[in-house]
Amino acid sequence: MSKSTHSEFGKLTKLVIKPSSHAFISEEKVAREWQALNYLQKPGFALANEEYKKFERMLKATGVQLLHLPENEELSIDSLYCRDASVSTDFGMIICRMGKEARAREPEAQKRFFADNEITIMGEIVAPGTLEGGDVAWLDSKTLAVGHTYRTNLEGIAQLKAMLEPKGVEVVVAELPHYRGPSDVFHLMSILSPVDKNLAVVYSPLMPIAFRNLLLERGFQLVEVPEEEFDSMGCNVLALAPQLCLMVEGNPTTEKRLRDAGCEVITYKGQEISVKGGGGPTCLTRPISRGL
């Protein structure tokens, strides 16, 4: 089977994760950091580790190769959300530069990890550019969507284009709204989760009209997340394979709409590892490769 990272929905073959025990490290570290990082509530260390073990078992059940980022006291508890520090491409990993200052050391840590695990690095975003992986989503093998947000600036987007456009990749920019402001976790993938080549979970009230129209023009069927399920991360859906979806439990309307669209849906309890920190299953994972 040929492999591609130019997808958000091909069958996962290799995946980087950072277990909560490696990110949170101790009850004391969580207590020191959660408020400054704008968590909704303090995650419980033991409960988070329990949730994460079950989450990891669900990933393992797919047969994916899992690589674990190590403990690093220099990083914040936000390093749990390992998607944001890098971007996967068929040409190697792009190392990001974080828009959130408290997470500034994560990209370098991932860069060392990729080098140690013989994962190719294509390039990296440098100052004054910022780019976070949660703002980046493949629409198809030749089209990468990127959100212009408080975390990803125009210089970062320009650097991303300079790397990928010579390789024949079109980079489409979605201009996202102010919403709750610079301190909020609001990425492109907060409102968009592609789960098959022509199917995406979306939260339309915060989606730019031009970008939403582009999805429709490209033949996407949109699974709409209701307002009451946005904050509980109904829109944050990880495709384990085409139309095989993993999402946080507690979003019954979105779950039903996905099933009605032909998807199989698996849910996990994510109160400590997802809801309190604002990071669903896409945030908790950094796909390295997917099958076609």
Side-chain angles (χ1 to χ4, degrees):
M1 182 187 287
S2 57
K3 302 288 176 64
S4 176
T5 54
H6 284 48
S7 166
E8 303 297 341
F9 45 78
K11 186 180 188 314
L12 281 168
T13 53
K14 185 183 285 189
L15 183 66
V16 168
I17 59 174
K18 187 161 189 179
S20 57
S21 57
H22 291 187
F24 290 174
I25 300 179
S26 68
E27 190 78 61
E28 292 72 28
K29 184 174 173 66
V30 174
R32 280 196 310 271
E33 296 182 5
W34 73 272
Q35 286 175 302
L37 293 171
N38 298 308
Y39 280 52
L40 295 177
Q41 291 176 281
K42 176 182 167 292
F45 182 66
L47 287 173
N49 292 343
E50 219 172 277
E51 283 185 1
Y52 201 95
K53 284 173 186 171
K54 292 176 182 174
F55 175 77
E56 186 171 344
R57 281 200 293 272
M58 291 177 178
L59 296 174
K60 281 181 179 171
T62 69
V64 64
Q65 178 188 356
L66 291 178
L67 302 177
H68 296 82
L69 290 163
E71 280 188 23
N72 185 338
E73 276 282 3
E74 292 184 347
L75 306 182
S76 78
I77 62 174
D78 260 354
S79 62
L80 179 72
Y81 304 121
C82 59
R83 176 172 298 252
D84 291 327
S86 57
V87 174
S88 296
T89 83
D90 275 354
F91 319 107
M93 305 301 295
I94 295 173
I95 306 302
C96 294
R97 183 168 177 269
M98 309 298 271
K100 186 175 182 178
E101 184 56 38
R103 303 188 68 184
R105 294 177 175 176
E106 288 179 46
E108 185 61 33
Q110 283 200 14
K111 182 181 176 182
R112 290 195 300 270
F113 179 82
F114 295 146
D116 290 344
N117 286 273
E118 299 181 338
I119 296 169
T120 303
I121 294 168
M122 179 191 190
E124 51 191 301
I125 304 299
V126 297
T130 61
L131 180 82
E132 295 195 358
D135 276 324
V136 176
W138 290 98
L139 300 184
D140 58 45
S141 64
K142 296 290 184 184
T143 313
L144 185 67
V146 58
H148 177 205
T149 69
Y150 283 116
R151 304 291 182 86
T152 294
N153 66 16
L154 291 175
E155 173 59 25
I157 292 169
Q159 292 180 33
L160 184 70
K161 287 182 173 183
M163 284 185 230
L164 292 176
E165 287 180 345
K167 303 284 191 183
V169 174
E170 179 187 5
V171 177
V172 174
V173 181
E175 296 284 349
L176 295 195
H178 169 79
Y179 190 42
R180 291 172 179 160
S183 64
D184 191 53
V185 185
F186 181 54
H187 286 129
L188 176 64
M189 293 197 79
S190 302
I191 58 170
L192 169 74
S193 292
V195 295
D196 201 353
K197 62 184 178 183
N198 57 359
L199 187 66
V201 184
V202 300
Y203 183 65
S204 289
L206 290 175
M207 186 163 277
I209 293 168
F211 183 70
R212 189 176 184 280
N213 284 342
L214 179 142
L215 294 176
L216 293 172
E217 287 160 11
R218 287 172 177 253
F220 275 88
Q221 176 187 347
L222 304 183
V223 176
E224 300 280 357
V225 174
E227 183 177 353
E228 63 273 16
E229 292 183 5
F230 178 66
D231 283 336
S232 53
M233 282 176 295
C235 201
N236 194 303
V237 180
L238 177 69
L240 303 171
Q243 297 194 25
L244 175 58
C245 302
L246 181 62
M247 64 187 299
V248 183
E249 70 178 32
N251 296 287
T253 302
T254 306
E255 184 179 341
K256 181 180 186 304
R257 289 174 182 176
L258 277 165
R259 294 186 193 280
D260 290 346
C263 296
E264 181 181 345
V265 181
I266 303 166
T267 63
Y268 70 97
K269 185 177 181 182
Q271 189 64 26
E272 309 300 317
I273 61 174
S274 289
V275 176
K276 289 181 178 179
T282 66
C283 310
L284 288 166
T285 54
R286 168 32 70 205
I288 301 298
S289 61
R290 290 179 178 266
L292 293 175

